[in-house]
């Protein structure tokens, strides 16, 4: 079992660069010097003295950068370089070489090494070299993201949305996809936490390996342990044959722990041990089995509060929380609503004879509504409207009652008295305009005429309210 020499054990810090670095060097002092410099730049480091060790690490960990001593005792540096090319073609290799062997460094570059550094080097030289590599990798990740975006003009993978918060999220997903650290995905219900977890997995190098989601909230607490870790024959009554756990099924890929906040506290300790030691012990078994699985977790609960209340282990929280992704609720990115609606409508229209569209009045209400159930609620809303509406255009009356009631509440504020009852003129004007458009069934030209204002003014006002469509 190969463990990272440094595994981040704390909440995200600006120092963590999410990259794994392998040092292959037989001289202890050089190895440790490299490790210290790399750690100070936020790399997780893996150390090896021999070719065999290096091979095992390359096989089991997602190595991003290799610092390789070309002159290992049995002359195997070049062999390792070939192996890196085969196993981790995206990894960046820097060869370390003595002055007398610059010639072979040049040969190494021909074999795909990114750069070489001549021994003896000092801390500063190595630091500069590694910083250069980090920016190179960052640029590559960004280019990859751009390519990904070009492929899907609407967002990232299956995620739809162009709001600045989403663009930021895509950038982090692209980076997270190429690291092996756990990621904690936070967001209200229906914001797309599972979709984000899938995007991280499928944008990464292990996309062909399994993605296994586990809903910690819906599993019977007494069964979670055997589900996750598996069991051996005879472990308990009814265990007539041994069964592989989900952590083993996800080998080489990703285990997505959905609703991780629901995990019973005794299992939290077992999960932490499995993540830290990268091995599992099936229920009733005596032998530990090595695992190589990426852990992603999601919750809509406030885990900070759960930690303070003692219902969630602080150490597991820190371990899962190496990188946190926060998905914004839909009400904070309403500009994405038309795009999301378009995507859902396209999908529905592909499977039905009637080609539905959304009328101005319905769209306006949808842009005003707060969507407490987020994207899932929007998707359900449009699906239901398409099923119930017998005409091609969906109007306010076709929308579910919670959305229509929202409009009624907005139109009829609670009666209040005294100074609080004074409504600013701007607000009265807005109410008058929106009301006119609504009662005229979305006819803006007629609304402008009846309100006694020009149509340009009306459009400008609607834009100010964020309801221009
Ligand atoms: N950005 C998005 N683009 C397109 N579809 C989305 C997006 N976000 C969510 N969805 C859709 O909304 C639905 C809910 O998404 P998902 O299950 O990932 O949310 P969740 O955050 O895991 O919800 P819950 O907390 O209830 O489990 C899915 O059908 C998903 O396809
Ligand atoms: Mg979910």
């Amino acid at each position: 079992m190969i463990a990272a020499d440094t595994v981040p054990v704390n909440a995200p810090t600006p120092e963590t660069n999410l990259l794994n670095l392998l040092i292959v060097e037989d001289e202890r002092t050089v190895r440790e010097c490299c490790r210290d410099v790399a750690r100070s730049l936020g790399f997780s480091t893996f150390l090896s003295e021999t070719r065999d060790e290096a091979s095992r690490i390359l096989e089991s960990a997602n190595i991003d950068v290799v610092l390789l001593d070309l002159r290992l005792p049995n002359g195997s540096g070049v062999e390792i370089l070939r192996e890196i090319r085969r196993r981790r073609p995206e990894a960046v290799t820097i060869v370390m070489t003595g002055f007398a062997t610059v010639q072979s460094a040049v040969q190494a570059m021909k074999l795909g090494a990114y750069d070489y550094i001549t021994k003896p080097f000092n801390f500063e030289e190595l630091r500069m070299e590694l910083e250069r590599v980090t920016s190179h990798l960052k640029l590559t990740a960004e280019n990859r993201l751009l390519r990904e975006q070009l492929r899907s003009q609407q967002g990232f993978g299956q995620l739809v949305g162009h709001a600045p918060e989403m663009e930021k999220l895509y950038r982090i997903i692209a980076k997270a996809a190429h690291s092996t650290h756990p990621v904690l995905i936070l967001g209200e219900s229906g914001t797309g936490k599972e979709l984000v977890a899938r995007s991280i997995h499928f944008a990464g190098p292990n996309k062909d390996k399994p993605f296994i989601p586990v809903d910690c909230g819906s599993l019977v607490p007494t069964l979670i342990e055997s589900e996750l870790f598996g069991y051996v024959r005879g472990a308990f009554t009814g265990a007539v044959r041994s069964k592989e756990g989900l952590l083993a099924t996800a080998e080489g890929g990703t285990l997505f722990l959905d609703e991780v906040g629901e995990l019973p506290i005794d299992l939290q300790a077992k999960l932490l041990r499995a993540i830290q030691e990268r091995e599992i012990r099936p229920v009733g078994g005596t032998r530990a089995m090595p695992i190589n699985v990426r852990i992603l977790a999601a919750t809509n609960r406030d885990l900070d509060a759960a930690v303070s209340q003692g219902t969630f282990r602080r150490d597991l929280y820190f371990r899962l929380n190496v990188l946190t992704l926060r998905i914004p609720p839909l009400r904070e990115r309403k500009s994405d609503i038309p795009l999301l609606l378009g995507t859902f409508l396209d999908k529905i229209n592909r499977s039905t004879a009637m080609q539905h569209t959304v009328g101005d009045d319905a769209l306006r209400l949808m842009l005003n509504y707060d969507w407490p159930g987020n994207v899932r609620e929007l998707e359900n809303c449009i699906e239901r409207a398409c099923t119930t509406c017998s005409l091609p255009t969906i109007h306010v009356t076709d929308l579910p009652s919670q959305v229509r009631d929202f409009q009624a509440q907005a139109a009829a504020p609670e009666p209040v008295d005294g100074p609080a009852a004074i409504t600013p003129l701007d607000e009265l004007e807005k109410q008058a305009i929106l009301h006119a458009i609504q009662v005229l069934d979305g006819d803006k030209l007629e609304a402008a005429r009846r309100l006694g204002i020009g149509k340009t003014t009306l459009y400008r006002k609607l834009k100010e309210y964020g309801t221009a469509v």
Side-chain angles (χ1 to χ4, degrees):
M1 183 66 243
I2 292 143
D5 174 60
T6 319
V7 178
V9 287
N10 236 320
T13 64
E15 294 88 46
T16 305
N17 71 11
L18 297 174
L19 295 171
N20 289 329
L21 178 131
L22 166 65
I23 300 159
V24 193
E25 167 64 66
D26 60 324
E27 263 182 77
R28 191 166 63 88
T29 44
V30 182
R31 207 165 53 232
E32 289 175 358
C33 156
C34 293
R35 179 199 59 196
D36 293 346
V37 174
R39 276 184 179 180
S40 73
L41 292 170
F43 285 93
S44 290
T45 52
F46 294 73
L47 308 187
S48 77
E49 290 177 50
T50 62
R51 177 180 171 194
D52 285 351
E53 254 175 3
S55 298
R56 278 203 302 277
I57 297 174
L58 283 167
E59 194 182 321
S60 64
N62 270 334
I63 297 297
D64 304 293
V65 182
V66 185
L67 269 176
L68 171 65
D69 177 13
L70 258 195
R71 282 208 314 177
L72 288 177
N74 53 3
S76 52
V78 171
E79 287 310 309
I80 298 182
L81 203 52
R82 291 209 172 93
E83 192 165 342
I84 297 169
R85 225 164 120 169
R86 206 174 57 247
R87 285 193 198 276
R88 302 277 168 202
E90 290 185 348
V92 169
T93 307
I94 299 159
V95 296
M96 302 183 280
T97 169
F99 180 68
T101 56
V102 169
Q103 213 42 37
S104 48
V106 174
Q107 188 205 348
M109 306 263 305
K110 285 191 186 142
L111 275 173
Y114 172 75
D115 203 357
Y116 68 91
I117 179 163
T118 328
K119 286 187 194 171
F121 48 79
N122 59 30
F123 261 54
E124 203 39 44
E125 283 172 89
L126 181 59
R127 195 187 167 81
M128 277 165 58
E129 184 66 30
L130 287 180
E131 274 173 352
R132 209 160 73 79
V133 169
T134 316
S135 352
H136 166 78
L137 285 173
K138 201 170 141 225
L139 213 70
T140 318
E142 277 165 13
N143 285 343
R144 208 180 289 127
L145 169 75
L146 282 178
R147 276 205 304 276
E148 187 72 38
Q149 278 181 334
L150 280 179
R151 224 170 347 127
S152 149
Q153 289 293 339
Q154 307 196 307
F156 186 97
Q158 286 182 290
L159 286 161
V160 174
H162 273 323
E165 298 89 332
M166 292 304 281
E167 302 276 354
K168 194 169 146 206
L169 189 73
Y170 303 152
R171 247 185 286 283
I172 307 176
I173 292 175
K175 267 189 206 158
H178 289 270
S179 101
T180 51
H181 297 304
V183 180
L184 183 62
I185 304 163
L186 303 176
E188 292 177 12
S189 181
T191 44
K193 294 186 289 298
E194 177 154 355
L195 220 49
V196 165
R198 286 180 187 277
S199 308
I200 295 177
H201 174 81
F202 288 103
N206 298 326
K207 59 175 182 296
D208 298 326
K209 299 280 167 55
F211 173 88
I212 308 282
V214 189
D215 185 349
C216 304
S218 70
L219 280 178
V220 184
T222 48
L223 290 185
I224 301 183
E225 182 175 5
S226 54
E227 280 290 328
L228 282 180
F229 299 97
Y231 54 81
V232 298
R233 191 171 144 209
F236 44 81
T237 326
V240 287
R241 63 176 69 89
S242 50
K243 183 169 180 260
E244 184 182 76
L246 295 171
L247 272 155
T249 310
E251 181 63 22
T254 303
L255 186 79
F256 172 50
L257 296 167
D258 204 357
E259 305 304 345
V260 72
E262 308 303 317
L263 210 59
I265 196 110
D266 56 326
L267 270 174
Q268 292 176 17
K270 289 195 178 120
L271 177 67
L272 177 68
R273 204 171 322 122
I275 300 176
Q276 253 163 356
E277 296 176 4
R278 301 190 187 195
E279 55 183 33
I280 49 168
R281 206 179 291 273
V283 178
T286 47
R287 271 192 329 126
M289 275 171 46
I291 48 158
N292 171 31
V293 172
R294 168 123 198 233
I295 303 286
L296 302 177
T299 180
N300 55 19
R301 273 182 50 181
D302 182 352
L303 276 194
D304 259 337
V307 168
S308 313
Q309 288 156 10
T311 53
F312 202 84
R313 290 183 67 113
R314 184 179 300 274
D315 44 12
L316 178 61
Y317 177 50
F318 282 154
R319 176 62 62 159
L320 295 176
N321 199 12
V322 174
L323 181 68
T324 308
L325 280 183
R326 246 170 243 283
I327 313 178
L330 188 54
R331 65 181 170 282
E332 286 177 16
R333 51 178 192 109
K334 286 190 173 176
S335 58
D336 280 340
I337 290 178
L339 193 58
L340 283 160
L341 272 176
T343 311
F344 297 142
L345 270 179
D346 276 353
K347 201 162 82 185
I348 299 166
N349 285 343
R350 273 200 296 272
S351 59
T352 53
M354 188 175 305
Q355 298 299 290
H356 281 107
T357 55
V358 176
D360 278 2
D361 57 329
L363 181 56
R364 201 169 325 107
L365 180 52
M366 287 181 169
L367 285 166
N368 272 331
Y369 183 60
D370 267 349
W371 302 106
N374 294 292
V375 184
R376 178 182 291 114
E377 188 185 2
L378 178 70
E379 192 175 8
N380 289 345
C381 163
I382 196 70
E383 273 172 10
R384 272 183 43 198
C386 287
T387 322
T388 51
C389 178
S390 51
L391 296 169
T393 306
I394 293 164
H395 289 290
V396 167
T397 44
D398 303 309
L399 299 180
S401 58
Q402 77 271 17
V403 184
R404 278 185 280 120
D405 291 351
F406 179 82
Q407 179 189 36
Q409 276 166 23
E414 286 282 295
V416 279
D417 210 0
I422 300 171
T423 311
L425 283 178
D426 279 357
E427 185 54 37
L428 287 174
E429 183 184 76
K430 177 177 172 182
Q431 284 173 15
I433 291 177
L434 294 181
H435 177 251
I437 297 175
Q438 189 206 330
V439 294
L440 292 168
D441 216 14
D443 187 341
K444 291 187 204 123
L445 283 184
E446 182 61 12
R449 200 182 63 75
R450 295 213 185 194
L451 288 163
I453 57 175
K455 76 173 189 310
T456 323
T457 310
L458 183 105
Y459 277 104
R460 181 169 49 77
K461 297 270 177 202
L462 286 178
K463 206 165 175 182
E464 281 167 21
Y465 309 152
T467 52
V469 288

